[in-house]
Amino acid sequence: MPCFDILSSQDLARGAVLLGTGGGGDPHVGELFLRRQLQRGLQPRLLPLAELADEAFVVSVAGIGAPTVLVEHLLSETALKHLLRQAEALYGRPIDALVCAEVGGANAMLPLAAAALSGLPLVDADGIGRAFPHIDMTTFGIHGCSASPALFSDDLGNLAHLSAADNPSLERMVRALVGSLGGSLYGVLYPLDGARVKRFAVPGSVTQALRIGRHIREARAGSADPVAELVRFLDGLEPGRRARELFDGKVADVRHETRDGFHWGQVLLEPASGSGEPVAIDIQNEFLRARQGERVLAVVPDLLCLLDSESAEPLTAENLRYGMRVRLLAYAAPPCLLSEAALAVVGPERFGLEAPWRSFLADEQGRAQA
Amino acid sequence: MPCFDILSSQDLARGAVLLGTGGGGDPHVGELFLRRQLQRGLQPRLLPLAELADEAFVVSVAGIGAPTVLVEHLLSETALKHLLRQAEALYGRPIDALVCAEVGGANAMLPLAAAALSGLPLVDADGIGRAFPHIDMTTFGIHGCSASPALFSDDLGNLAHLSAADNPSLERMVRALVGSLGGSLYGVLYPLDGARVKRFAVPGSVTQALRIGRHIREARAGSADPVAELVRFLDGLEPGRRARELFDGKVADVRHETRDGFHWGQVLLEPASGSGEPVAIDIQNEFLRARQGERVLAVVPDLLCLLDSESAEPLTAENLRYGMRVRLLAYAAPPCLLSEAALAVVGPERFGLEAPWRSFLADEQGRAQA
């Protein structure tokens, strides 16, 4: 397991933005939080998923709300410690390990900072292999694990223990509370035993984010085209998961709105070459779908990432600005997100997108077979 | 203390609608609930406020949400028992007695039914002497008692334990949850010791509702004008609290909207005589203010009640319909609601009404002094 330093903390944050596909919150504040722990000599301990005991009691720690607001409401160390103590009181047992609900953005950094602060190990895995806007959208949820009972706090003395009839109800309740309490909350949820975490979590996510971030840093120093180099790297990183560059463009229009506890928007990219059809990307916290005219280039649960054209820096949705030069990358979802049961929870229809999921490789594979 | 039968149960419901000033929920369903307990031989036990032990542990039970929705979501007996058990687990001690948060409408009947069902005594008092739309609007809240920790449930398996930084924050959290969970919730809140309940509650409210309801029933049988008879009765019922009939009219227009967990509206009354200026009544669950042109006839916290012109049946806001013949009655608020501290919580400004509170007797007293 890696020993974290400032450099690896930055690498992890960078990789987490890529896996966050525009959402999950800007990890910068989370990274500063982690960095402060490292400077105090507190190391987060990463636990390989395989080493997790079946009977261990594992919970997720996450920020909930529009990423635009989450970055402005950083939980204090005191509040984070208090939240974990309250969670132990709620569950009536000590927490043995933490796991990221999602490895995207700030929600990758926060559990790492919590691990450093509390001394609890962080399982090297997560509940989705990317970021998603709803708390029911996890592999744990897909496999019928309840996110309840869960605990949410806003660092101003407001605390909610919620037990919902099902995960979508919990999502509705939390989202309503988020709206009533300033736009963001921090929570402890998905109380699970180690056996179920081992069975359902996406393994190695934290390490993967770290490797992706490090690779971008190294490609920047050693390659003329870090984006192309990154696509090659991702394309061979895990069996069955391909990566492609889909578009080279420029931000021509960007609409943002923070509403109902989410960040909504659409980004329009014009071709960098100056001619050709533009690409529109729909946002609900995360990049959900990229279209060129009527043609869907890529859609959830596949990962859509926007990178700075030159530096390959992954970009969060809320930081996109007019005129930015960006390249659009698609990275295949972890295979476990593509089953029928999984697509019912995290497929395009759950986001109100009409068409069913279709791989961004479908055309390419069609041509190869023809 | 009275032994409850079907008749007294109906009397109480009728009196609770009057004290509910249009809100608090139609007590009919709550009355049916209580009636079922009576038919099973379960009597609610009323405990005079003075007999409450200082160290008794007392909680309020209430339905929260737009009255329009509350009447359609009656809590089951099983769910009500479960809610009380969950509350005892949350507070870590057995509940010794129940008290009405508000004596208005369904929120007078529900605690009585809960008392019959659980065997717990119901203190003959309430937290406001009327009904109000916000859960922070109680004499307990006015005197700095926290409504937290509180427990809310929707009878579908969704449960929220909330601890808020202050009562207005709790109100915001609960109202948001109400909106996310179908428009109504049932809750246990204001965990208090007997000493504070004795000090801050409005005494005798349940008995008062019962007496008012009985008086209306008897006046109907024995008086040519039950409304005038009721006004006389109320005017002498408690020292310092006067009652007046303000207007005799006909519902000319009624606008209703259920939004943000409340029932909003305005009712326009034309004079029954056919000539004269109409009266407009503003509604947020309860009747807040009656105006004739620019002149305010009566405003919260004084009680505004609409009665059927002939039968003196008190009417809930959501049941008003075009063409109904009604008489508008004002009943002075309990004196404890008129202090500066109380008006800051339940005065007109809290409802976004510009002018400060002014007694509906001010003009009459002015004339008498002139």
Side-chain angles (χ1 to χ4, degrees):
Chain A
M1 281 294 111
C3 175
F4 278 87
D5 55 18
I6 303 300
L7 207 57
S8 56
S9 164
Q10 290 172 334
D11 288 344
L12 180 64
R14 190 179 297 118
V17 173
L18 186 135
L19 293 172
T21 77
D26 188 322
H28 181 61
V29 283
E31 202 247 307
L32 291 180
F33 200 164
L34 174 60
R35 198 185 291 191
R36 190 165 56 196
Q37 311 316 320
L38 299 178
Q39 284 164 343
R40 294 166 60 196
L42 297 173
Q43 273 286 327
R45 186 154 56 92
L46 269 187
L47 184 70
L49 189 57
E51 291 178 20
L52 182 65
D54 279 355
E55 63 284 4
F57 181 56
V58 188
V59 299
S60 293
V61 184
I64 318 281
T68 34
V69 180
L70 270 177
V71 300
E72 298 180 8
H73 282 196
L74 185 62
L75 207 60
S76 71
E77 292 173 12
T78 313
L80 187 53
K81 278 187 193 168
H82 187 61
L83 186 66
L84 292 173
R85 272 198 305 270
Q86 292 264 3
E88 293 189 330
L90 167 66
Y91 299 124
R93 56 185 296 193
I95 296 167
D96 298 314
L98 303 174
V99 66
C100 297
E102 58 181 13
V103 74
N107 276 339
M109 304 310 291
L110 179 72
L112 213 63
L117 198 61
S118 66
L120 294 170
L122 178 70
V123 181
D124 184 13
D126 84 310
I128 199 71
R130 48 166 296 156
F132 265 128
H134 290 188
I135 60 178
D136 53 316
M137 293 176 164
T138 66
T139 51
F140 307 133
I142 289 166
H143 287 94
C145 302
S146 175
S148 298
L151 181 71
F152 299 91
S153 164
D154 71 346
D155 203 6
L156 292 172
N158 296 305
L159 193 77
H161 296 182
L162 304 179
S163 286
D166 49 42
N167 291 344
S169 297
L170 185 73
E171 162 63 28
R172 279 201 308 282
M173 294 166 80
V174 174
R175 201 62 53 178
L177 285 179
V178 161
S180 73
L181 292 174
S184 72
L185 289 173
Y186 288 88
V188 174
L189 63 170
Y190 282 111
L192 294 169
D193 58 35
R196 284 188 297 173
V197 174
K198 278 195 283 192
R199 200 158 153 215
F200 302 135
V202 177
S205 316
V206 180
T207 312
Q208 194 200 28
L210 191 63
R211 288 178 66 194
I212 291 172
R214 187 171 59 213
H215 193 84
I216 293 172
R217 173 168 52 87
E218 292 172 352
R220 232 174 250 177
S223 163
D225 187 348
V227 173
E229 172 54 34
L230 173 66
V231 172
R232 269 193 299 277
F233 173 74
L234 287 176
D235 198 45
L237 189 57
E238 287 188 21
R241 296 185 67 182
R242 312 304 301 268
R244 291 289 180 273
E245 185 182 336
L246 299 183
F247 196 69
D248 182 0
K250 195 172 67 177
V251 177
D253 190 28
V254 52
R255 277 176 286 155
H256 295 299
E257 187 187 3
T258 298
R259 173 173 49 83
D260 303 334
F262 294 108
H263 172 229
W264 305 84
Q266 201 181 54
V267 176
L268 195 73
L269 306 180
E270 282 177 350
S273 65
S275 70
E277 214 175 346
V279 165
I281 302 173
D282 300 302
I283 302 167
Q284 183 186 355
N285 288 8
E286 282 75 40
F287 302 128
L288 299 181
R289 178 177 63 177
R291 277 178 304 173
Q292 199 164 27
E294 289 302 300
R295 196 163 66 92
V296 173
L297 300 183
V299 67
V300 285
D302 284 332
L303 285 71
L304 284 82
C305 316
L306 284 178
L307 307 169
D308 176 86
S309 286
E310 301 300 319
S311 69
E313 187 69 25
L315 303 167
T316 59
E318 73 269 21
N319 289 330
L320 295 175
R321 297 289 176 271
Y322 175 83
M324 287 170 99
R325 282 288 310 275
V326 296
R327 284 153 83 177
L328 172 63
L329 180 157
Y331 181 36
C336 65
L337 297 188
L338 299 175
S339 70
E340 199 176 324
L343 286 173
V345 178
V346 299
E349 286 94 341
R350 270 300 302 279
F351 297 91
L353 308 174
E354 311 76 23
W357 173 77
R358 184 169 178 270
S359 165
F360 60 88
L361 296 164
D363 287 342
E364 183 182 314
Q365 289 162 347
R367 281 194 300 276
Q369 284 166 10
Chain B
M1 281 294 111
C3 175
F4 278 88
D5 55 18
I6 303 301
L7 208 57
S8 56
S9 164
Q10 290 171 335
D11 288 344
L12 181 64
R14 191 178 298 117
V17 174
L18 186 135
L19 293 173
T21 77
D26 188 322
H28 181 62
V29 283
E31 202 247 306
L32 291 178
F33 199 163
L34 173 60
R35 198 184 291 191
R36 190 164 56 196
Q37 311 316 321
L38 299 177
Q39 284 164 342
R40 294 165 61 195
L42 297 173
Q43 274 285 327
R45 186 155 55 92
L46 269 187
L47 184 70
L49 188 56
E51 292 179 19
L52 182 64
D54 279 354
E55 63 283 5
F57 181 56
V58 188
V59 299
S60 292
V61 185
I64 318 280
T68 34
V69 179
L70 271 177
V71 300
E72 299 180 8
H73 282 196
L74 186 61
L75 205 60
S76 72
E77 292 172 12
T78 312
L80 188 53
K81 279 187 192 168
H82 188 60
L83 187 65
L84 292 173
R85 273 199 304 271
Q86 292 264 2
E88 293 190 328
L90 167 66
Y91 298 123
R93 55 185 296 190
I95 296 167
D96 298 314
L98 302 174
V99 65
C100 298
E102 58 181 12
V103 75
N107 276 339
M109 304 310 291
L110 178 73
L112 212 63
L117 197 62
S118 65
L120 294 170
L122 178 70
V123 181
D124 184 13
D126 83 310
I128 199 71
R130 46 166 297 154
F132 265 129
H134 291 187
I135 59 177
D136 54 317
M137 293 174 164
T138 66
T139 50
F140 307 133
I142 290 166
H143 288 95
C145 302
S146 176
S148 298
L151 182 71
F152 299 91
S153 163
D154 70 348
D155 203 8
L156 293 172
N158 297 305
L159 193 78
H161 296 181
L162 304 179
S163 287
D166 48 42
N167 291 345
S169 297
L170 185 74
E171 162 64 29
R172 280 201 308 280
M173 293 167 80
V174 175
R175 202 61 53 176
L177 285 178
V178 161
S180 74
L181 292 174
S184 73
L185 289 173
Y186 288 88
V188 175
L189 62 170
Y190 282 111
L192 295 169
D193 58 35
R196 284 188 296 173
V197 174
K198 277 194 284 194
R199 200 159 151 212
F200 303 134
V202 177
S205 318
V206 180
T207 311
Q208 194 200 28
L210 190 64
R211 290 178 65 194
I212 292 171
R214 188 172 58 215
H215 193 83
I216 294 172
R217 172 166 54 85
E218 292 172 352
R220 236 175 248 177
S223 163
D225 187 348
V227 173
E229 171 54 35
L230 173 66
V231 173
R232 269 192 299 276
F233 173 74
L234 286 176
D235 198 45
L237 189 57
E238 288 188 20
R241 297 185 66 184
R242 313 304 303 268
R244 290 290 180 272
E245 185 182 335
L246 299 183
F247 196 69
D248 182 1
K250 195 171 68 176
V251 176
D253 190 28
V254 52
R255 277 175 285 153
H256 294 300
E257 187 187 2
T258 297
R259 173 172 50 81
D260 303 334
F262 294 108
H263 172 229
W264 305 83
Q266 200 180 55
V267 176
L268 195 73
L269 306 181
E270 282 177 352
S273 64
S275 70
E277 215 175 344
V279 165
I281 301 173
D282 300 302
I283 301 166
Q284 182 186 355
N285 289 7
E286 282 75 40
F287 301 128
L288 299 182
R289 178 178 62 178
R291 275 178 306 172
Q292 199 164 26
E294 289 302 301
R295 197 163 66 92
V296 173
L297 300 183
V299 66
V300 285
D302 284 333
L303 284 71
L304 283 83
C305 316
L306 284 178
L307 307 169
D308 177 86
S309 287
E310 300 300 319
S311 68
E313 187 69 26
L315 303 167
T316 59
E318 72 270 20
N319 290 330
L320 295 175
R321 297 289 177 269
Y322 174 83
M324 286 169 102
R325 283 287 311 271
V326 296
R327 283 154 83 178
L328 173 63
L329 181 157
Y331 181 35
C336 63
L337 299 188
L338 298 175
S339 69
E340 199 176 326
L343 286 173
V345 178
V346 299
E349 287 94 340
R350 269 300 301 279
F351 296 91
L353 307 174
E354 310 76 22
W357 172 77
R358 183 170 180 270
S359 165
F360 60 90
L361 296 165
D363 287 343
E364 183 181 312
Q365 289 163 345
R367 280 193 301 275
Q369 285 168 8

